[in-house]
Every structure is written in structure tokens, then in C-alpha cells.
Amino acid sequence: MIEADAVVIGGGLHGCSAALNLARRGLEPIVIEKDWVGRHASGVNAGGVRTLLRDPAEIPLALAAREIWHDIEAHVGADCGYHTVGQVAVAADREALEALEERAAMVHELGYEHEELIDRSEVRGLVPALAGHCLGGLVARRDGFASPYHTTLAFKHAGEAAGVRFHEGVRLLGIEQVGSDWRLDTSTGNYQAPLIVHCAGTWGDWLTNLLGEPVPLTTFLPMMMVTAPVPHFVDPVVIGASSSLARRQALSFKQAANGTVLIGGGYPGQGDRDTLQSRIDFRQLTLSAATVEAFFPNMRGVPIVRCWTGFEGRLPDDIPIIGPSTKAAGVFHAFGFCGHGFQLGPIVGRIIADLVIDGGTNLPIEAFSIARFQADA
């Protein structure tokens, strides 16, 4: 029996962040990960550090997380490949522009000022290589991007320095309450702790089913591709919005210092989360490439050198579950980030530590309660 103050289930960015914050608040947690830290969504996403186009419920969390990102090296002892370059959603047609105008009005009515509507000349000034048909955009100038895998490892290493124990290759098989503790049966032995932090991502519904609070989690596999190096042509992260995609994040484009361009987000691959087998859907990837060309004609003919996909968990309302279990005392959830959880990682870890240690948090998380999926809520 391995005992700890808390067991964090899942070694992605949110699990590492939660464990780090718990350790810095005086607990001695263990993280168990069925594969290895950063193996799934936290290591294969596009790395966007984005407050732009967030669900209104997520905006306070995203803004709080942004302040941590701007001082990330002081937080975890590494720069995580983070760059503040801004993010801009670009309207390719009139319907998309109208949707962005409605979005800007809504955000300002809520009292936020981080999103700024810009006209055709301003968007071309920010991104001169854009196609001439682009009409304007919505910009968050203090957004940016980071390296997902290096970020997750930085949080792991900071956690180890704070006393977190990471046990990789440990698959959860069952869980039961024993007195005031939880006992976890795993592929490598038993664990026991009074607190469980559930950050199992795509596999999150398996544990909630065991706890008697099922959720309608589904799996999707966003695809990414990276090009051969090209001469520098874009500074901010660009989100392409057309009439069919204007109300959600479509494809995103970012250029690295070495000239390669990372393109991701808009179209899913295929896979089976039970077998961990994933496949690129090259017909869908062709649509992504066509969108790239529509926004950036200079990309025509640039070779794609690598493409990949990874497992993400999605909930029907496209926002995560964050907060205490309603059925199991001592269990706290942070999963189902619907493909846009990377930027939130630093603040979600702090929220979990606040909930565990203080019994509450000063950030609004009511919208993320698992109770919203329960018939008796």
C-alpha cells in the first residue's frame, strides 16, 4: 500500500499543475499516469495561450491564467517556450465579420477589454501576408503561444522539486472508499489517500461512472501539421474565421523562430481511446490545407513535413468540469477541457489547491460543476 496526502489521477498539464500547487500548499501528493507525463492532449496540442474567443464562463479563468503565463519562468523555473505575440481572429467574409462584431459587443458588455475589434487595414498591418479578401478581425494583444510538451515537463520538474512523486505506467483499475480514505487498485499495486484529484482527460468519464456521477464525455482527435521552414511572414497566432466557422475557433496558424508553421485545430482525426490507436484523416487534412491557402496565398506549395493527432475529451456544452464531486467526499475534478485547456493549466492547478486547502476559490467556477449533468441537479 502506497500512501499519500492526495493522489492525482492523470499526468497531463492539469494533473501536474494541481500536484505542484498542492505541494506548495504543504501536501505530499502522488501523480499516477497510465502512460507517461504529457503523453496525450498535453503533449500534442497546438500550444495556444489564448484568452481570445473563450466561452464567457472561461474568461475570468483565462485572464487569471494569462498573468501566470506572463511570469511563467518564475512560476516553474523554465520559459516553456512562451511568447507574447498576440492572437487575432481574421474574418474571411462579411458573415464572419458580423459574428466577430457580435462577439466583441458581448465581451465588452460583460465588462472585459481584452478583445479588440480591428478593421481591414489594422488586421493587414498586424499580418501583412493575409489574403486581400480578409475584412477585419478580433485581437487579444497579450495572448501568445508556448511549447506544450516542454510546458508539461516544466510543471512536472517543478512538482518534483516541491516534493511531488510521479508514478508513470500505472493504470487505475478500481476505487473504493475505506473510512475517510480512498483506496485505488492499480496495475502496479494499491494506493490510499484522503483526497483524489481527477485529471484523467479523455478517460475522465470512466472514473465518474465508478463514483456514480456519469457525464456525457465524448472523444475527438484534433489534427496538427507542421510545414517545412519558410521566410518569416507572421508574428501573431492567426485564427481563421469564415462564414461556416466564425462562431468557434477554426484553424490556427503560428510561425516558429525556425520558420516552420504549425497549423492545427479545425478538423478531427480518428481513433479508439481504448486501444490508443489514432489515425490521420487525410481527406479532412486536405480541407485544413485549403483553408491555409485561402488565408495565406504565400503558403501554396509549401511541403507538410509532419502531421499528428491526439485524444481530447469533449462535453456537450464545450466547457470543462472543474470542482468537487457531488457524490464522493474528498474527490475533485478537472477534466473535459474540450480541446482548449492548455492555456488554463496554470490557473486550474491553483483553483484545485484552493478548493482542497481552503474549501473555496475566489474565481467563478459554478458553470463548471459536474452537477450540470446530473438529472437531480
Side-chain angles (χ1 to χ4, degrees):
M1 181 70 67
I2 300 173
E3 297 183 350
D5 292 335
V7 173
V8 178
I9 301 170
L13 177 57
H14 290 94
C16 293
S17 179
L20 170 62
N21 280 274
L22 288 172
R24 287 179 173 172
R25 296 293 299 272
L27 299 189
E28 296 182 1
I30 290 176
V31 176
I32 61 171
E33 161 58 43
K34 67 182 180 64
D35 295 298
W36 59 87
V37 167
R39 164 65 178 84
H40 296 290
S42 294
V44 301
N45 66 78
V49 178
R50 177 177 62 87
T51 63
L52 184 66
L53 298 181
R54 286 280 180 182
D55 184 282
E58 290 183 339
I59 291 175
L61 277 62
L63 292 175
R66 188 178 67 181
E67 298 312 305
I68 301 175
W69 279 106
H70 287 171
D71 198 25
I72 194 66
E73 189 161 4
H75 189 63
V76 293
D79 66 15
C80 300
Y82 174 70
H83 300 278
T84 303
V85 294
Q87 293 212 16
V88 56
V90 177
D93 52 43
R94 175 57 56 182
E95 186 177 348
L97 182 61
E98 290 174 355
L100 294 180
E101 290 170 344
E102 292 174 7
R103 164 75 188 190
M106 181 269 290
V107 169
H108 291 165
E109 187 174 341
L110 291 174
Y112 300 109
E113 299 180 352
H114 63 290
E115 296 186 9
E116 175 188 347
L117 195 67
I118 56 177
D119 62 19
R120 184 200 298 260
S121 63
E122 288 178 290
V123 79
R124 290 298 297 269
L126 282 175
V127 191
L130 275 172
H133 65 266
C134 295
L135 301 178
L138 193 64
V139 63
R141 300 182 189 273
R142 299 186 67 209
D143 283 2
F145 68 90
S147 170
Y149 188 64
H150 292 98
T151 298
T152 306
L153 286 185
F155 274 78
K156 177 191 177 187
H157 295 154
E160 289 173 326
V164 180
R165 290 174 284 169
F166 287 85
H167 292 188
E168 297 171 290
V170 178
R171 183 179 295 272
L172 181 65
L173 302 177
I175 185 171
E176 64 174 333
Q177 196 161 23
V178 180
S180 60
D181 283 353
W182 290 96
R183 182 172 295 171
L184 287 72
D185 178 25
T186 80
S187 58
T188 62
N190 294 325
Y191 292 76
Q192 187 162 317
L195 299 167
I196 300 295
V197 179
H198 170 214
C199 303
T202 303
W203 296 268
D205 58 333
W206 187 82
L207 180 59
T208 61
N209 286 339
L210 292 180
L211 297 173
E213 46 185 354
V215 295
L217 186 81
T218 57
T219 299
F220 75 109
L221 292 90
M223 294 188 295
M224 312 291 164
M225 52 185 169
V226 66
T227 72
V230 296
H232 177 78
F233 71 95
V234 60
D235 287 316
V237 178
V238 177
I239 297 171
S242 64
S243 57
S244 62
L245 297 170
R247 298 180 186 276
R248 65 177 178 87
Q249 183 183 357
L251 295 184
S252 66
F253 316 80
K254 59 180 68 71
Q255 188 171 26
N258 65 358
T260 61
V261 179
L262 176 64
I263 304 154
Y267 297 92
Q270 302 171 359
D272 183 334
R273 67 175 181 173
D274 294 327
T275 64
L276 296 184
Q277 296 296 312
S278 62
R279 301 182 301 281
I280 295 294
D281 186 329
F282 285 98
R283 286 178 294 184
Q284 294 276 53
L285 207 64
T286 300
L287 298 176
S288 296
T291 304
V292 173
E293 187 175 304
F295 281 93
F296 292 104
N298 65 304
M299 293 294 290
R300 183 176 299 131
V302 175
I304 302 298
V305 298
R306 187 163 64 95
C307 51
W308 66 91
T309 189
F311 292 91
E312 295 266 17
R314 171 170 280 162
L315 294 158
D317 52 8
D318 212 35
I319 58 175
I321 292 171
I322 306 171
S325 166
T326 60
K327 304 290 187 180
V331 176
F332 298 84
H333 300 297
F335 73 99
F337 284 87
C338 307
H340 46 80
F342 178 69
Q343 191 265 1
L344 298 176
I347 199 62
V348 169
R350 183 175 296 177
I351 289 170
I352 291 297
D354 288 344
L355 293 173
V356 169
I357 305 297
D358 302 327
T361 177
N362 61 2
L363 285 166
I365 62 168
E366 294 79 9
F368 309 113
S369 172
I370 195 171
R372 69 189 193 270
F373 297 115
Q374 297 170 6
D376 57 351

